[in-house]
Amino acid sequence: MTALQTALANKRVLICVGSGGVGKTTVAATLALRAAVDGRPSIVCTIDPAKRLANSLGLSGLGNTEAEVPASVLEPLGVKPKAALHAMMLDMKATWDDLITRVAPPEQREKIFANRFYQSLSTALAGSQEYIAMEKVWDLRRRSDYDLVVLDTPPTAHALDFLDAPNRVLDFLDNEAAKWLLTPALKAGKVGLSLFNLGGSYVTRALSRFTGTEMLQELSSFMVTLSSMNEGFRERARGVRELLEDKSTGFVLVTSPNPERLDEAIHFHKLLGQNRMEMTAIVVNRVHPMPTPAQWEDAATLTPTRRAKVEETLRETQVLAQQDLEGMAQLRAACPGTPLIQVPRFGLDVHDLTALWGTGRYLLGDDVLA
């Protein structure tokens, strides 16, 4: 069995990571599809707001709830899945709101939703999108019957944006500087500028000049409201971190063969190893195939003008293919022991089930690049 065949048979979570624009969404959807066809109930969770995943799975659209992919859409391929396939597109704000609805006391929810600091956390805080994506996967693992959850992670040029997301969110919720300013209010269990003598404090007077007293009131309100839930958030963040390191979780690093993307992939691979996370495989997507002898022979049968143009195209493709081969040699040397899987550059973008199934044939080793 190939590395990804083994992973689809045994892993509970597969996380597709890498830079933006390298085909993570396509790889994630393909893996979940093949797992369902082989008999494991699966779900693919994407962050990509484009409709490519929905369209490729035969759906008109995806939302923040789980949608089942009709088995009938696979009939034209002559494929009958043995288990159900679901898909969803994570809405960052809606997923944070769902989390607050579950963990916050009913009387505090609306106050949290209206707070500007919460709105920053749920829409713009660095690491927040990565954290809530993993939080959703952790939640699906705990409460659902899916044998496999496949996550298409947010595009990131920096691996630490993903790996440090749980810690970064906890830092925001457990900020020592904010606690120092707000200690009297937190002890009193209520909000009010008079409780912590903002008017008499040099630090808070300076801070209020930059932020305004209204902003400080919102900060204090946010910290006081969340202080009772911090342990719950810490527990969930620990669960997310444990899920990242669990033996039933595997990472699929997706890249393309151009030098910039390869350097990012090598760095990501190194950090995953340092963080004790299992690298299942590296998928090198959009590889230029080397022109075949048959293509050169066909070109030789054309009229002189057409032959010259076709042979020029074949020579250009040959140069690109050679560059890709050299890039993959660099990748193998830098990431020894990690299976390397090549998917060719197709003539058209992957936008339907036929193309998705074709991609899967390369991912699972049914077809290979010569």
Side-chain angles (χ1 to χ4, degrees), residues 188-235:
K190 55 176 104 172
V191 181
L193 291 177
S194 61
L195 287 176
F196 44 99
N197 298 318
L198 285 180
S201 163
Y202 170 79
V203 174
T204 50
R205 280 203 313 272
L207 186 58
S208 65
R209 283 202 298 270
F210 288 104
T211 65
T213 55
E214 181 183 352
M215 184 66 77
L216 285 176
Q217 285 177 315
E218 287 211 45
L219 173 59
S220 65
S221 175
F222 182 63
M223 296 299 295
V224 170
T225 303
L226 288 188
S227 62
S228 62
M229 295 183 288
N230 272 3
E231 183 52 42
F233 274 111
R234 278 193 290 270
E235 180 182 350

Side-chain angles (χ1 to χ4, degrees), residues 108-119 218:
Q108 293 182 351
R109 291 171 190 163
E110 291 307 316
K111 184 183 293 186
I112 294 173
F113 291 149
N115 189 281
R116 279 184 284 182
F117 284 90
Y118 169 73
Q119 291 165 7
E218 287 211 45

Side-chain angles (χ1 to χ4, degrees), residues 17-27 48 52 152-157 254-258 261 264 283-286 345 349:
V17 294
S19 305
V22 294
K24 291 196 305 293
T25 301
T26 296
V27 171
D48 190 352
R52 288 173 299 176
D152 165 33
T153 57
T156 176
V254 185
T255 185
S256 64
N258 72 67
R261 293 289 184 257
E264 293 168 357
V283 174
V284 185
N285 198 22
R286 300 170 187 155
R345 176 180 290 274
D349 287 339

Side-chain angles (χ1 to χ4, degrees), residues 71-79 353-354:
S72 59
V73 301
L74 286 169
E75 289 178 358
L77 298 176
V79 176
L353 272 169
T354 301

Side-chain angles (χ1 to χ4, degrees), residues 58-281:
L59 300 170
S60 58
L62 287 175
N64 205 49
T65 55
E66 301 152 46
E68 184 171 357
V69 178
S72 59
V73 301
L74 286 169
E75 289 178 358
L77 298 176
V79 176
K80 186 175 182 180
K82 298 176 183 177
L85 171 64
H86 287 76
M88 66 184 300
M89 186 193 76
L90 293 179
D91 180 301
M92 182 177 171
K93 179 68 165 61
T95 307
W96 269 109
D97 288 352
D98 288 346
L99 174 59
I100 293 298
T101 300
R102 289 198 303 271
V103 303
E107 67 276 8
Q108 293 182 351
R109 291 171 190 163
E110 291 307 316
K111 184 183 293 186
I112 294 173
F113 291 149
N115 189 281
R116 279 184 284 182
F117 284 90
Y118 169 73
Q119 291 165 7
S120 173
L121 169 67
S122 61
T123 57
L125 181 70
S128 183
Q129 188 178 39
E130 290 86 350
Y131 171 79
I132 203 62
M134 281 306 307
E135 153 75 31
K136 187 65 176 181
V137 171
W138 179 72
D139 189 55
L140 286 169
R141 268 288 310 272
R142 286 192 316 133
R143 65 175 179 81
S144 72
D145 295 327
Y146 298 116
D147 285 355
L148 177 66
V149 179
V150 183
L151 176 63
D152 165 33
T153 57
T156 176
H158 304 287
L160 287 175
D161 287 348
F162 179 77
L163 299 176
D164 281 356
N167 295 334
R168 191 171 299 147
V169 170
L170 285 179
D171 285 345
F172 180 83
L173 295 171
D174 200 22
N175 187 279
E176 291 301 323
K179 276 191 173 182
W180 178 72
L181 281 173
L182 304 174
T183 293
L186 291 170
K187 286 182 178 178
K190 55 176 104 172
V191 181
L193 291 177
S194 61
L195 287 176
F196 44 99
N197 298 318
L198 285 180
S201 163
Y202 170 79
V203 174
T204 50
R205 280 203 313 272
L207 186 58
S208 65
R209 283 202 298 270
F210 288 104
T211 65
T213 55
E214 181 183 352
M215 184 66 77
L216 285 176
Q217 285 177 315
E218 287 211 45
L219 173 59
S220 65
S221 175
F222 182 63
M223 296 299 295
V224 170
T225 303
L226 288 188
S227 62
S228 62
M229 295 183 288
N230 272 3
E231 183 52 42
F233 274 111
R234 278 193 290 270
E235 180 182 350
R236 297 177 80 88
R238 283 194 295 268
V240 169
R241 185 70 187 186
E242 289 169 2
L243 178 62
L244 289 171
E245 298 176 4
D246 196 283
K247 293 299 182 184
S248 67
T249 297
F251 285 80
V252 178
L253 178 55
V254 185
T255 185
S256 64
N258 72 67
E260 180 183 353
R261 293 289 184 257
L262 290 176
D263 287 344
E264 293 168 357
I266 292 169
H267 180 58
F268 213 143
H269 184 275
K270 179 181 178 182
L271 287 174
L272 285 168
Q274 291 174 348
N275 283 270
R276 303 186 303 280
M277 296 172 189
E278 182 180 323
M279 179 63 68
T280 298

